Amino acid sequence: MSNLINIRTLSLKDLEGFCTKQGVEQYRAQQVYDWLWKKTARSFDQMSNISIKTRDILKQYYTINALEINTTQKSEDGTIKMSFKLFDGHIIEGVLIPSGTRMTACISSQVGCNLACKFCATGLIRYIRNLNFDEIFDQVAIIAETARREYDCPLTHIVYMGMGEPMLNYHNVLQSIDKITAEDSLGMSPQRITVSTVGIAPMIRQLGKDKVRFNLALSLHSAVNEKRNQIIPYNLRNTLEDLIGAVKFFHQQTNTRITIEYVMLKGFNDTMADARALAEFCKNFPVKINLIQYNPVENVPFEDSGQERTEAFKDFLDRKNMVVNIRRSRGKDIDAACGQLANKIINKKT
Ligand code: SAH
């Protein structure tokens, strides 16, 4: 491995310091910074207004740990799944979901995942490492370029719902959002960003303390501890009661309404008793509920509840005056839908 420094870990001040030391004009620092964060350059040679000599100096000391597009697949519904190669050879996946002029990037926060949720394809592969904030940023930059090229639309929304658990990579996730929303970078609104978590109570509290301005989604899937334990092993460490406390605190601190994600699993979490438990759970704070169609994962015994049961479940919640939406899946034909990101070939558990 080279001992070059990842240039994207440098602040503008750091770059200015470097320029002074190397006898390069000060204003070049701002130009390089703009290339990295505004123009999302992924190589020094793209920096066309920087002289070749200065680029060579930069290359002597620094590297850009840029993502490379490995594969691209387009679904019949327009969803585009991309796999990206990281600087150390690992592969992650990200998805562009077009819906009219709404362009959503679904991005990964870790290589693999160690939560092992029973219904999720990513849970079946091994955890390798956290993504660095600039690798998370690159997924957004590349997917935004793809939206512009393929659909002539800017990226409008970002969901941290790809591979991995964002709250177990807290620092990099928050730093990536700082960059995505910074005026001297992509300048996107935090209100258009949603971070989804299995529910790591201490980290939800931390989000509250940090008074974040992006949206939070909680992958609940059951409001009954014994059932949630069966599908989400993490629930054993961190029960529904712990989650209620943490989400209440988050709400007090940020005054934002969270989204509850609930995958409909036939005969498992879709009875009226389950709906009642969900309604009870949701009484503790304002929420919006998304009922998500279950997407088949190889060797997993669950089945989707189907339209009729899902609508009956929704009706029950509607009658309790809850905000409920049924979310249909996109990109299923290319394994790009929720819970299907797993890079079938490369990261398989051995
Ligand atoms: N670890 C985070 C981020 C992943 S988000 C989290 O748990 O929230 C991916 C979303 O897709 C989660 O809500 C997850 O529970 C859901 N999901 C996983 N497998 C699925 C499947 N097979 N069908 C539908 N949704 C699934």
Side-chain angles (χ1 to χ4, degrees):
M1 202 147 272
S2 77
N3 49 12
L4 297 176
I5 293 169
N6 177 5
I7 193 166
R8 291 192 292 195
T9 60
L10 269 60
S11 65
L12 179 59
K13 256 208 157 69
D14 295 334
L15 283 172
E16 283 168 352
F18 178 79
C19 286
T20 310
K21 218 165 115 196
Q22 297 293 325
V24 171
E25 306 94 320
Q26 276 277 306
Y27 70 93
R28 296 285 179 207
Q30 182 71 55
Q31 286 179 327
V32 171
Y33 193 85
D34 285 349
W35 274 110
L36 292 173
W37 298 112
K38 249 199 169 120
K39 302 183 210 167
T40 65
R42 289 187 289 282
S43 79
F44 290 112
D45 288 330
Q46 276 174 274
M47 303 182 179
S48 50
N49 60 356
I50 308 288
S51 71
I52 295 186
K53 191 170 153 245
T54 306
R55 278 186 243 162
D56 283 340
I57 299 176
L58 288 168
K59 286 183 207 171
Q60 271 176 40
Y61 293 91
Y62 300 121
T63 178
I64 305 176
N65 287 343
L67 263 56
E68 267 173 48
I69 300 173
N70 185 51
T71 60
T72 305
Q73 285 169 276
K74 193 167 182 175
S75 159
E76 51 199 25
D77 67 20
T79 300
I80 297 175
K81 178 165 87 165
M82 303 173 108
S83 71
F84 303 110
K85 194 174 190 172
L86 307 178
F87 73 95
D88 58 1
H90 292 303
I91 303 281
I92 53 157
E93 294 178 330
V95 185
L96 168 65
I97 308 155
S99 178
T101 54
R102 186 182 177 121
M103 293 280 145
T104 305
C106 174
I107 56 172
S108 296
S109 55
Q110 296 182 317
V111 187
C113 187
N114 52 18
L115 294 175
C117 299
K118 295 290 188 288
F119 47 84
C120 179
T122 310
L124 302 173
I125 59 173
R126 77 194 153 94
Y127 167 81
I128 295 174
R129 70 168 173 86
N130 278 335
L131 291 183
N132 201 30
F133 77 94
D134 57 325
E135 297 173 316
I136 301 175
F137 178 89
D138 263 358
Q139 294 175 71
V140 174
I142 296 174
I143 294 173
E145 287 161 18
T146 308
R148 238 173 280 126
R149 192 180 58 242
E150 295 282 324
Y151 297 105
D152 201 18
C153 285
L155 190 67
T156 58
H157 294 78
I158 301 171
V159 294
Y160 284 66
M161 295 188 187
M163 303 165 77
E165 169 48 48
M167 289 298 99
L168 293 178
N169 187 14
Y170 190 89
H171 183 66
N172 283 307
V173 164
L174 262 69
Q175 208 176 344
S176 70
I177 296 174
D178 277 350
K179 282 291 180 203
I180 293 163
T181 55
E183 274 314 315
D184 60 2
S185 181
L186 300 183
M188 281 185 73
S189 160
Q191 268 113 36
R192 289 168 174 234
I193 301 176
T194 301
V195 172
S196 177
T197 178
V198 75
I200 315 279
M203 300 331 283
I204 294 176
R205 284 178 186 275
Q206 190 60 46
L207 289 173
K209 283 183 201 150
D210 288 339
K211 298 213 187 306
V212 298
R213 289 169 52 235
F214 51 79
N215 302 298
L216 181 65
L218 172 63
S219 295
L220 192 69
H221 313 321
S222 175
V224 180
N225 269 318
E226 301 73 50
K227 283 196 191 187
R228 198 167 191 263
N229 290 343
Q230 287 175 45
I231 50 174
I232 302 177
Y234 202 88
N235 198 61
L236 291 162
R237 309 233 315 243
N238 174 148
T239 64
L240 291 166
E241 290 67 38
D242 298 331
L243 282 180
I244 290 171
V247 174
K248 269 188 180 162
F249 178 77
F250 174 83
H251 175 67
Q252 279 160 11
Q253 298 297 310
T254 62
N255 204 25
T256 59
R257 175 172 73 164
I258 70 155
T259 301
I260 299 285
E261 295 167 278
Y262 198 97
V263 175
M264 298 301 294
L265 303 171
K266 188 174 184 175
F268 182 79
N269 65 357
D270 63 353
T271 66
M272 287 307 116
D274 290 303
R276 197 168 301 121
L278 176 58
E280 277 300 308
F281 181 88
C282 294
K283 265 191 197 156
N284 293 291
F285 23 70
V287 298
K288 185 179 99 187
I289 302 170
N290 282 340
L291 301 178
I292 305 168
Q293 198 179 356
Y294 168 71
N295 299 309
V297 173
E298 240 176 275
N299 300 325
V300 169
F302 290 114
E303 219 183 299
D304 177 56
S305 298
Q307 197 173 338
E308 207 175 305
R309 289 177 82 102
T310 305
E311 270 167 16
F313 198 88
K314 177 180 186 304
D315 286 346
F316 181 95
L317 298 167
D318 280 341
R319 282 197 299 275
K320 304 247 174 221
N321 293 323
M322 318 212 78
V323 184
V324 193
N325 289 300
I326 298 178
R327 296 278 292 271
R328 310 213 181 282
S329 272
R330 304 285 305 274
K332 269 209 275 195
D333 54 327
I334 54 166
D335 281 344
C338 297
Q340 293 187 317
L341 300 187
N343 296 270
K344 285 190 167 160
I345 309 151
I346 295 154
N347 294 326
K348 255 215 168 111
K349 258 183 190 157
T350 44

